């Protein structure tokens, strides 16, 4: 990581396979190498703080060639052979931007955040994804430490994967909405309420998931 006055630069080089709980690294990078770079820079619009960023990822990890799956899952009249692709890539743009900040009230206000990412869609099963939301701290009289937010996401699956699985199962793009409000009742106790509404990629019905959470600090 390199931080400068105008931007923060980051570079990762890592094994695409997970070695969590592994005692040996003898097989490190056996499945390829992943390189990820990002740049994030501060942006001020109308005197209000914000950030924008770009991310690029490239990996040499093998993956199933999704374009070749049609004859594999429903072999008629002869079974096919699974093909592989030897690389994948991903690009993303992200931002966060304050829309309102009370004069003299540091830490309070609300703003927009979001991200749009796109991949090759093969072998990556997720072709593109979008998320956007509005979140803030305070603004309710007498509740300056409360936090709240609402967010929406949309995940578009690879067209190759949809077409290949169509004879067996129908995949659709997934989308969802989440709303939360977190009450800072005391400096050591928070109580939060959450509601998620999700239209999953596999199920035919929309899921509605309410929730309550508590945090106690010792």
């Amino acid at each position: 990581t390199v931080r400068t006055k105008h931007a923060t630069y980051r570079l990762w080089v890592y094994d695409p396979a997970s070695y969590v709980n592994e005692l040996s690294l003898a097989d490190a990078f056996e499945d390829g190498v992943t390189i990820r770079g990002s740049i994030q820079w501060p942006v001020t619009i109308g005197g209000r703080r914000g950030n924008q960023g770009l991310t690029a990822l490239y990996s040499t990890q093998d993956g199933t060639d999704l374009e070749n799956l049609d004859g594999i899952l429903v072999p008629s009249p002869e079974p096919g052979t699974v093909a592989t692709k030897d690389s994948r890539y991903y690009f993303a743009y992200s931002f966060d931007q304050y829309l309102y900040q009370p004069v003299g009230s540091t830490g309070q206000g609300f703003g927009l955040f979001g991200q749009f990412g796109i991949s090759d869609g093969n072998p990556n099963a997720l072709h593109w994804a979008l998320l956007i939301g509005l979140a803030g701290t305070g603004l309710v009289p007498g509740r300056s430490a409360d936090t709240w937010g609402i967010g929406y996401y949309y995940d578009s699956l690879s067209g190759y994967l949809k077409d290949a699985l169509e004879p067996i199962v129908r995949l659709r793009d997934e989308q969802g909405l989440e709303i939360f409000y977190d009450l800072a009742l005391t400096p050591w106790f928070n109580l939060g309420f959450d509601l998620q509404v999700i239209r999953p990629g596999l199920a035919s019905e929309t899921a509605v998931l309410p929730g309550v959470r508590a945090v106690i600090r010792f």
Side-chain angles (χ1 to χ4, degrees), residues 17-186:
S18 173
Y19 281 84
V20 175
N21 297 325
E22 293 286 343
L23 299 180
S24 173
L25 297 179
D27 298 327
F29 296 100
E30 187 177 65
D31 296 325
V33 61
T34 297
I35 302 172
R36 174 176 175 171
S38 72
I39 175 174
Q40 184 182 54
W41 61 94
V43 176
T44 301
I45 299 177
R48 298 176 179 87
R49 303 192 314 272
N51 297 280
Q52 298 188 39
L54 295 172
T55 299
L57 180 147
Y58 178 80
S59 178
T60 61
Q61 182 183 27
D62 289 345
T64 301
D65 187 348
L66 303 180
E67 191 175 4
N68 183 250
L69 282 181
D70 282 336
I72 306 301
L73 298 176
V74 186
S76 176
E78 297 179 359
T81 302
V82 176
T84 60
K85 292 192 69 177
D86 58 5
S87 64
R88 62 190 72 203
Y89 64 81
Y90 168 81
F91 298 100
Y93 163 75
S94 60
F95 73 92
D96 60 82
Q97 180 64 52
Y98 268 107
L99 299 179
Y100 173 73
Q101 292 176 281
V103 178
S105 300
T106 58
Q108 293 191 52
F110 65 87
L112 284 171
F113 64 91
Q115 178 173 290
F116 174 76
I118 187 168
S119 78
D120 44 41
N122 182 20
N124 284 304
L126 187 62
H127 188 201
W128 62 267
L130 167 73
L131 67 87
I132 189 167
L134 180 72
T137 301
L139 302 184
V140 176
R143 311 295 315 164
S144 61
D146 290 357
T147 57
W148 52 271
I150 178 171
Y152 167 81
Y153 78 91
Y154 191 102
D155 289 343
S156 179
L157 299 176
S158 167
Y160 296 120
L161 182 61
K162 290 179 182 178
D163 292 343
L165 295 179
E166 181 69 27
I168 302 173
V169 61
R170 183 181 180 187
L171 290 178
R172 62 182 182 181
D173 293 346
E174 181 169 308
Q175 55 184 316
L177 178 76
E178 181 175 11
I179 303 172
F180 81 90
Y181 194 96
D182 192 73
L183 291 160
L185 298 177
T186 72

Side-chain angles (χ1 to χ4, degrees), residues 186-210:
T186 72
W188 52 268
F189 181 61
N190 285 54
L191 183 64
F193 300 90
D194 180 271
L195 176 66
Q196 297 181 50
V197 181
I198 301 172
R199 195 194 78 162
L202 277 175
S204 59
E205 298 181 0
T206 298
V208 179
L209 307 171

